[in-house]
Amino acid sequence: MARRDEYEQRAEAILQPIVDAHQFELVDVEYVKEAGTWYLRAYIDKPGGITVDDCETVSRLANDILDEQDFIEDSYIFEVSSPGLGRPLKKDKDFNRSIGEEVEVRLFRAVNREKMYTGLLRSYDRETVTIELEDESTMQIERANIALIRLAFDF
C-alpha cells in the first residue's frame, strides 16, 4: 500500500466517528501535494449543506487526534471543507445517491471520437457506468476509461 493511501485510510478511520457523531457524511479524504506543500483534506456533507462552523467542529476534534497519533511523517496542512458542487463521484454511495441525476463524464481515451459526455446516470457496477444520452440512447462506459465523473450543473 502506498504511503498516501495509508495516510488517507488512517485519517478516514479517525474522522469517521467524528462525522458520524455529528450526523455528517464523510465524502472523501485526500492527501495531496500542491505547490510544494502537503495537504490532508477531509470533505464532509449533510442534507442542506455544510457550514463553516461544521467544518471548524470536525477540524478541531480531528486535529487533536491527528496530532496525538502523529502518523504522517511530512509537515502538512489539515483542511476540512464541503465537497462543493462539482465533486467527483468516487464511492458506491456517491453513485447510489446520483442515480437518475445528470452527470458529466470525462474520458481518458475518446469513444466515438468524443472525450466528454453528459447524460443521466442510469446504473453502475465495478467495471462500467451506464448513462442515458440526450437522444434517450444509453451508453456503457468502462470505469477504467473514466478520468472524472461528477454531477453536471447549469448556471
Side-chain angles (χ1 to χ4, degrees):
M1 175 185 308
R3 182 176 64 133
R4 181 176 296 182
D5 293 333
E6 178 189 339
Y7 291 166
E8 289 171 354
Q9 285 181 3
R10 288 186 69 178
E12 189 170 329
I14 290 168
L15 288 158
Q16 193 65 61
I18 295 168
V19 296
D20 288 349
H22 290 85
Q23 298 174 341
F24 301 151
E25 175 190 357
L26 181 59
V27 174
D28 198 14
V29 175
E30 65 179 7
Y31 185 68
V32 295
K33 191 171 193 176
E34 294 176 0
T37 302
W38 284 100
Y39 292 87
L40 177 63
R41 291 195 178 112
Y43 298 98
I44 61 174
D45 206 359
K46 71 177 181 189
I50 287 293
T51 67
V52 172
D53 289 339
D54 297 333
C55 293
E56 195 244 330
T57 297
V58 172
S59 177
R60 186 175 26 80
L61 294 169
N63 219 10
D64 291 342
I65 299 168
L66 288 167
D67 286 347
E68 180 183 301
Q69 292 193 12
D70 196 28
F71 59 87
I72 298 177
E73 296 173 15
D74 310 299
S75 161
Y76 67 93
I77 296 170
F78 177 55
E79 298 178 338
V80 178
S81 69
S82 162
L85 288 176
R87 82 182 197 206
L89 307 182
K90 292 184 175 183
K91 300 178 180 179
D92 284 350
K93 65 183 176 180
D94 301 327
F95 283 94
N96 281 331
R97 182 186 321 105
S98 301
I99 294 288
E101 299 288 332
E102 188 173 34
V103 294
E104 176 184 296
V105 184
R106 293 186 186 172
L107 305 176
F108 289 116
R109 293 177 317 282
V111 173
N112 301 326
R113 299 193 327 211
E114 297 287 333
K115 288 184 88 171
M116 190 169 128
Y117 288 91
T118 302
L120 299 178
L121 179 62
R122 288 298 174 212
S123 64
Y124 71 96
D125 59 34
R126 288 166 46 121
E127 281 83 35
T128 63
V129 169
T130 302
I131 61 172
E132 180 182 318
L133 303 173
E134 194 172 278
D135 66 3
E136 297 184 8
S137 66
T138 58
M139 177 179 193
Q140 192 172 62
I141 304 167
E142 296 292 322
R143 283 180 79 162
N145 191 27
I146 296 175
L148 173 71
I149 181 169
R150 65 181 176 192
L151 290 178
F153 48 96
D154 296 321
F155 290 100

